[in-house]
Amino acid sequence: LKYAKDLKFIYFNKAGEELLGISRDEMFGKSDYDFFPKEQAESFIDSDRNVLSLNISANIKEEKIDVQGQTKILHTKKVRIDDLNGNPKFLLGVSEDITESKRLAQNLEELNRNLEQKVEEKTKELQDSKNKYKSLIEDMGDKFLVISHKPDGEIIFLSKAVKKFFGVEREAVIGQNFAHTIDWTRGSLDRIASITEQMLKGEIEFTQNISSFNHPDGTERFIQVSVHPVRDIYKNIISIDGIIEDITEQHLLKKRIIRAKELAEEATRAKSSFLANMSHEIRTPMNGIIGMSHLILKTELNEKQRSYINKIHLSANNLLGIINDILDISKIEAGKLEIDKSNFDLFSVIESVINLIELKAEDKYLNVVVDYDPDLGKIYYGDSLRVNQILTNLLGNAVKFTDSGEIGLLVKKGDGRDKLRFEVYDTGIGITKEQMDRLFKSFSQADSSTTKKFGGTGLGLAISRQLVEMMNGKIWVESEVGKGSNFIFEIELEKRDIETKYTIFNNKRVLIVDDHQSWLDVLSHLVDRFGMTADVVHSGKEAIEILERDSDKFDLILVDWNMPEMDGIETCKYIEERFKIDSKKIVLVSAYERDSLEEAVKEVNIDHYLHKPINPSYFNDILSEIFLGKSIGIKAKQDLSINLENRIKSLKGSNILLAEDNKINQEVFCDLLESSQINIDIASNGLEAVKMFKENREKYELIFMDIQMPVLDGYEATKEIRDIDSDMPIIALSANAMSTDVERSKESGMNDHLNKPIDVEKLYKTLLKYCTKKVELETVERSKKPSTLLSTFTTLDTEYGLSLMMGNEKAYISILKGLVSYKEQSYSDLNDEELKRTMHSLKGLTASAGAKELSLIAKEIEQTLDRELIPSFIESFSKVVEEIEANLVNEKQELLELSPEKREKLFHQLKEAVESKRAKSCKPILEEIERYRLEGVDKKLFEEVKILISRFKFKDALRLFVEN
């Protein structure tokens, strides 16, 4: 603020003090000349006078001042303030420091100038590149067509190849919308519009596709179109460019290659199908050769004859093994081999493999060692048959190619979840790196000399590799020439039992006696795992020496049976007599089954026997029995079938419904439960089962439901029952045991799944699970007298069949008689559905009878409907039936004479049984009447009633009694 009269300062605010660095006291009464250079002060004063003299109310001006060594730019506004008479009294000036904003504005202006210059340079560079690009495109000739168009579709560039591609002159279409001028685009307007829109939105930067169009010359052409946007430096799309390549020749070539591949695969399948059929055809007479040579060897022969027959038998078995390998590889190539998963006992599978190969190993004096990771589970989910097959192949090869030393198997957890690792090693001839490359190929061995020396087709490893891969695994080999081989494979096997928990026996000391170091290592490893301390010796003599020093030192002694000089039996006998050690603390260990050593074991008082390979769980059970006095059930397991048969009688009076269309299966089911006195109602199809359940809903405790039935199958019947009752236990019965079948039965509402042939132990456990106890148990002991009748069969594994029936011979014979009923079956008249159903029934019946190979053929016909397999099936089936008839028919007793009184009594009992409408009640009366000779009207009546009862037509059967 200044006086108008002399322009002297009278007021400065604080901001002015900070800007100029002058205090208000210093400033008061002074002018601009006192603070600024003369020239600048005059400029300020001239401006002040101009405002005062010209009566300007306000003046805005930009001024520069030098303050404290810096140049400041001020934006100043001056206002004249008058007195009451209108004369100027004060001059008010307000200044703003705009130095920094002025500098920023100047920098921005400079930046814009530089940017404009760069834009010009880049535009020129882009134009030059585009011209060069176009020139290059023109040099490409007709191989590629390049097109560039604006986002709205206007063509701005086309290469000269457009004429070859679409038969148009490029000058005629430049400036036109390409979507309306080029034939290829006319059927793709929506897609082109979509791609353009996505590029404008920035969603895609590149796209490529294959299209076809009709060329003006009349041919169909195939083109590959690659499209991308071209953007300026501001990222705005200025054009969309495409490169079009004529790929007609490549496309047609690819189609020819695909067709050739399909033809090759068809040829492979045809070859595999031929091999499979041939293998079946050859296997039938081979079974005859093997069977007959086996029977001849049981007869009296001189030494030369026995030698010849032995060679025939051995050669026939070798040939059958080759045929089976060819059949497997053919199935794999034809895509017909499937992995059939179910729960299985890992230790049992491995033990069966070892039992198979150990005899061959013993012939060559090889030691067989098996070592388990103690943390392994017992029950796994997978294809046990294929695991067995792979191990048999690998261990068989190990024996074949090893002349001395040992072969072994190590089983442990693999890399990753649900992976199990198997390592098969040997001390044999080894393999070179070059030979390894050929090992897993079909019909290929290490070299030609291998085949000459050792024999074989080389299919075993090829099959093993493919089976491993089908189980989501891998297989490889590690080997060194002269130092043996190690075949390793990992497969996917899901552990199904709960985490294995072993009892630990701390502070126990064990003496292990074995002449083989590898088995000493295995047993020491197990003993250590169970918390005990092991001392090891290599002979019975060393064991006695260590016991002489301190016989009370050991809590347990493990003695191998097969040792030189002093075997296990002699060692145990000496230890018992010399040191008075409790026999419960001595365990005999051997690769032989106990039955094989029965006579030798009688010489000593041995309670516990451990079979190699060592099952960790079983070994832990033995230890618990020795040290804790627990009856873990080692003996109880042997009596399981007797206990179950006894316990099942506690269900006497229970009512169950069986839905089963096959008469033989109905009869077998009733025979299995005959002693239990469980009441069984039978429905012959799903519809009948639903009806019977609706009528007697409160009666039944359990329903057994066959899957494949006429009228209404088991799945549909279950769904209808579930609509009525959601809680009724329903158990599926099926010869299909694939995991998908089990899952489907559960999805349809079934509670559980029983496979055919029915395992009686599982059947009994199922009944005990779902039915309530009705009566108290009674002690039952089943006769173990072997059947002389059933032991004479050669076409059937009667021991296996009887085990399924838990030794129930009557039920087993019913199955055999059921097979005979199919003797006159004609297969040529059956349609596909009838053939499938018949083979489904026969698959279960033959398996139940113990005709395993026959069951497999029936299963394959059921799945493939391959009628070329039927002759092979009929031939094998006929042999089984002939043997059944020869054995069972000859067992029939001489028919008894029937007195009128006995006739009246029996037929009256039969009529009463028919009135009960229960086939189970009729059966014993029918069997009793069959023991007597019937003639005339009685014979006709009996046969007709018997047929009607088998069809559950009780009303018609009663009508016959009335009429007669």
Side-chain angles (χ1 to χ4, degrees), residues 402-463:
T402 305
D403 291 327
S404 63
E406 71 180 45
I407 63 171
L409 170 64
L410 172 61
V411 188
K412 58 184 179 180
K413 291 180 180 179
D415 295 330
R417 185 181 176 185
D418 294 336
K419 283 291 177 76
L420 223 55
R421 181 185 180 100
F422 300 82
E423 297 184 18
V424 176
Y425 66 86
D426 62 63
T427 56
I429 61 177
I431 309 167
T432 66
K433 175 67 174 69
E434 293 73 25
Q435 291 168 340
M436 287 185 202
D437 295 336
R438 297 193 297 270
L439 272 184
F440 296 103
K441 296 178 181 177
S442 300
F443 301 99
S444 175
Q445 291 194 335
D447 56 39
S448 58
S449 63
T450 302
T451 306
K452 290 177 183 177
K453 183 176 180 181
F454 298 101
T457 61
L459 283 175
L461 289 178
I463 293 169

Side-chain angles (χ1 to χ4, degrees), residues 154-355:
E154 181 187 342
I155 298 174
I156 53 178
F157 175 78
L158 269 173
S159 65
K160 63 183 180 182
V162 69
K163 185 164 185 179
K164 178 189 175 185
F165 273 75
F166 301 110
V168 296
E169 298 291 343
R170 60 177 169 176
E171 291 77 10
V173 293
I174 294 287
Q176 304 296 317
N177 188 301
F178 88 105
H180 301 289
T181 56
I182 298 178
D183 287 345
W184 152 67
T185 65
R186 289 176 185 170
S188 312
L189 294 179
D190 291 340
R191 183 168 52 82
I192 292 168
S194 174
I195 290 172
T196 302
E197 184 178 355
Q198 287 177 288
M199 287 183 171
L200 290 172
K201 289 180 178 179
E203 294 174 358
I204 57 173
E205 282 296 310
F206 177 80
T207 182
Q208 188 177 73
N209 61 78
I210 295 174
S211 300
S212 65
F213 69 98
N214 293 320
H215 192 269
D217 66 6
T219 61
E220 184 183 20
R221 298 289 179 90
F222 294 88
I223 55 176
Q224 180 172 280
V225 184
S226 305
V227 182
H228 67 92
V230 177
R231 301 177 184 273
D232 60 21
I233 60 172
Y234 300 109
K235 303 298 183 183
N236 296 317
I237 295 179
I238 56 176
S239 69
I240 295 176
D241 289 8
I243 300 177
I244 303 172
E245 180 184 3
D246 188 340
I247 59 167
T248 303
E249 289 185 10
Q250 297 97 306
H251 184 80
L252 295 176
L253 178 61
K254 184 179 179 181
K255 287 179 71 174
R256 286 195 290 270
I257 291 172
I258 291 172
R259 180 55 184 155
K261 181 174 178 289
E262 289 173 350
L263 291 172
E265 289 173 347
E266 286 176 11
T268 299
R269 284 193 293 270
K271 177 204 74 175
S272 299
S273 180
F274 169 76
L275 287 173
N277 290 335
M278 285 304 298
S279 297
H280 277 300
E281 292 299 322
I282 297 170
R283 187 155 52 175
T284 300
M286 284 308 304
N287 282 327
I289 295 170
I290 292 169
M292 297 309 289
S293 61
H294 173 75
L295 291 174
I296 293 172
L297 286 170
K298 289 184 175 181
T299 63
E300 293 185 10
L301 300 170
N302 61 42
E303 189 174 337
K304 182 179 288 187
Q305 289 171 330
R306 186 168 295 280
S307 173
Y308 289 159
I309 300 298
N310 260 323
K311 289 173 182 176
I312 292 172
H313 192 69
L314 180 63
S315 298
N317 273 302
N318 288 339
L319 180 55
L320 187 61
I322 293 170
I323 292 166
N324 288 337
D325 282 347
I326 293 172
L327 182 61
D328 269 351
I329 204 74
S330 301
K331 282 183 177 179
I332 292 170
E333 290 181 355
K336 292 182 179 180
L337 192 142
E338 295 179 350
I339 296 300
D340 189 2
K341 293 184 178 182
S342 60
N343 291 337
F344 69 93
D345 185 329
L346 177 68
F347 299 129
S348 296
V349 169
I350 292 175
E351 190 170 337
S352 68
V353 174
I354 298 302
N355 289 340

Side-chain angles (χ1 to χ4, degrees), residues 739-767:
S739 58
T740 50
D741 300 309
V742 177
E743 289 301 320
R744 187 179 174 190
S745 64
K746 288 182 179 179
E747 288 171 4
S748 68
M750 299 187 190
N751 300 78
D752 222 326
H753 190 105
L754 284 182
N755 299 330
K756 295 178 182 178
I758 294 173
D759 185 322
V760 181
E761 181 181 321
K762 291 181 180 178
L763 172 63
Y764 283 0
K765 287 180 178 179
T766 302
L767 285 161

Side-chain angles (χ1 to χ4, degrees), residues 707-726:
I707 297 299
Q708 292 192 12
M709 292 186 291
V711 186
L712 197 67
D713 67 25
Y715 298 125
E716 293 301 321
T718 298
K719 288 178 182 177
E720 291 201 19
I721 291 173
R722 281 286 171 254
D723 290 339
I724 305 168
D725 189 325
S726 60

Side-chain angles (χ1 to χ4, degrees), residues 565-714:
E565 297 181 11
M566 191 175 187
D567 66 28
I569 300 293
E570 293 175 301
T571 302
C572 291
K573 189 174 182 180
Y574 188 92
I575 289 173
E576 283 183 3
E577 294 174 355
R578 174 71 179 83
F579 304 108
K580 307 302 180 185
I581 293 175
D582 188 347
S583 62
K584 291 180 179 179
K585 293 184 178 182
I586 303 174
V587 178
L588 186 65
V589 185
S590 175
Y592 291 99
E593 293 286 356
R594 180 163 186 155
D595 292 346
S596 305
L597 303 175
E598 193 65 42
E599 290 301 318
V601 172
K602 287 178 181 178
E603 297 180 23
V604 289
N605 184 25
I606 295 175
D607 291 332
H608 299 293
Y609 179 85
L610 199 56
H611 180 248
K612 295 178 180 178
I614 310 299
N615 180 329
S617 178
Y618 185 75
F619 185 31
N620 197 256
D621 286 349
I622 287 179
L623 295 174
S624 296
E625 202 164 84
I626 292 171
F627 295 129
L628 303 178
K630 291 183 178 179
S631 180
I632 305 301
I634 297 171
K635 185 175 184 303
K637 289 176 183 176
Q638 300 169 354
D639 299 327
L640 175 65
S641 61
I642 296 176
N643 289 338
L644 279 174
E645 191 173 5
N646 189 23
R647 288 174 61 200
I648 205 72
K649 292 186 177 182
S650 70
L651 305 181
K652 178 182 177 181
S654 297
N655 292 288
I656 65 174
L657 174 61
L658 170 66
E660 168 66 70
D661 65 306
N662 186 282
K663 304 299 180 185
I664 300 164
N665 288 336
Q666 294 172 0
E667 187 175 346
V668 170
F669 198 94
C670 292
D671 284 343
L672 290 175
L673 299 181
E674 184 176 26
S675 63
S676 70
Q677 297 186 55
I678 293 173
N679 300 318
I680 306 169
D681 288 346
I682 298 175
S684 296
N685 58 61
L687 187 63
E688 192 175 325
V690 174
K691 181 182 177 184
M692 291 175 69
F693 178 75
K694 287 179 178 178
E695 294 173 352
N696 302 278
R697 180 177 173 181
E698 302 300 325
K699 175 182 177 181
Y700 300 117
E701 288 184 70
L702 181 63
I703 299 174
F704 288 95
M705 184 73 71
D706 184 36
I707 297 299
Q708 292 192 12
M709 292 186 291
V711 186
L712 197 67
D713 67 25

Side-chain angles (χ1 to χ4, degrees), residues 431-564:
I431 309 167
T432 66
K433 175 67 174 69
E434 293 73 25
Q435 291 168 340
M436 287 185 202
D437 295 336
R438 297 193 297 270
L439 272 184
F440 296 103
K441 296 178 181 177
S442 300
F443 301 99
S444 175
Q445 291 194 335
D447 56 39
S448 58
S449 63
T450 302
T451 306
K452 290 177 183 177
K453 183 176 180 181
F454 298 101
T457 61
L459 283 175
L461 289 178
I463 293 169
S464 295
R465 176 181 64 82
Q466 295 191 62
L467 290 176
V468 166
E469 290 173 354
M470 290 174 73
M471 289 186 276
N472 299 321
K474 58 181 179 179
I475 185 170
W476 68 97
V477 61
E478 298 169 356
S479 181
E480 188 175 342
V481 176
K483 295 187 178 180
S485 304
N486 192 9
F487 283 83
I488 307 162
F489 68 93
E490 287 189 357
I491 54 175
E492 194 174 86
L493 290 175
E494 182 184 343
K495 187 176 178 182
R496 281 294 174 95
D497 52 358
I498 59 175
E499 195 67 31
T500 306
K501 292 184 179 180
Y502 294 116
T503 305
I504 304 301
F505 305 92
N506 293 320
N507 304 318
K508 300 292 183 183
R509 200 168 190 92
V510 183
L511 176 62
I512 305 174
V513 189
D514 199 309
D515 64 310
H516 200 279
Q517 186 59 46
S518 294
W519 272 117
L520 285 174
D521 293 340
V522 170
L523 288 167
S524 298
H525 180 53
L526 264 178
V527 165
D528 180 68
R529 175 68 178 79
F530 297 148
M532 302 181 290
T533 304
D535 288 13
V536 299
V537 293
H538 293 81
S539 68
K541 184 179 178 181
E542 287 182 45
I544 292 168
E545 288 174 357
I546 199 171
L547 288 169
E548 288 282 4
R549 293 193 292 272
D550 188 357
S551 61
D552 296 327
K553 180 179 179 180
F554 300 102
D555 301 286
L556 181 70
I557 303 174
L558 302 178
V559 184
D560 181 47
W561 174 76
N562 189 17
M563 294 186 293

Side-chain angles (χ1 to χ4, degrees), residues 96-156:
E96 179 187 0
D97 186 353
I98 61 169
T99 306
E100 185 61 26
S101 45
K102 196 72 176 177
R103 184 183 65 78
L104 290 174
Q106 288 173 348
N107 289 345
L108 184 60
E109 187 178 348
E110 181 67 23
L111 187 63
N112 282 334
R113 282 198 299 272
N114 291 338
L115 188 58
E116 288 175 2
Q117 184 179 350
K118 286 183 179 179
V119 168
E120 289 177 4
E121 291 172 358
K122 284 291 181 184
T123 302
K124 185 175 183 305
E125 185 182 327
L126 185 62
Q127 190 60 44
D128 291 343
S129 296
K130 200 161 187 177
N131 291 336
K132 188 176 180 181
Y133 171 61
K134 288 180 179 179
S135 176
L136 254 163
I137 291 167
E138 294 296 343
D139 291 340
M140 282 202 260
D142 294 339
K143 188 173 182 181
F144 295 95
L145 168 63
V146 179
I147 181 170
S148 179
H149 64 84
K150 293 180 181 179
D152 63 2
E154 181 187 342
I155 298 174
I156 53 178

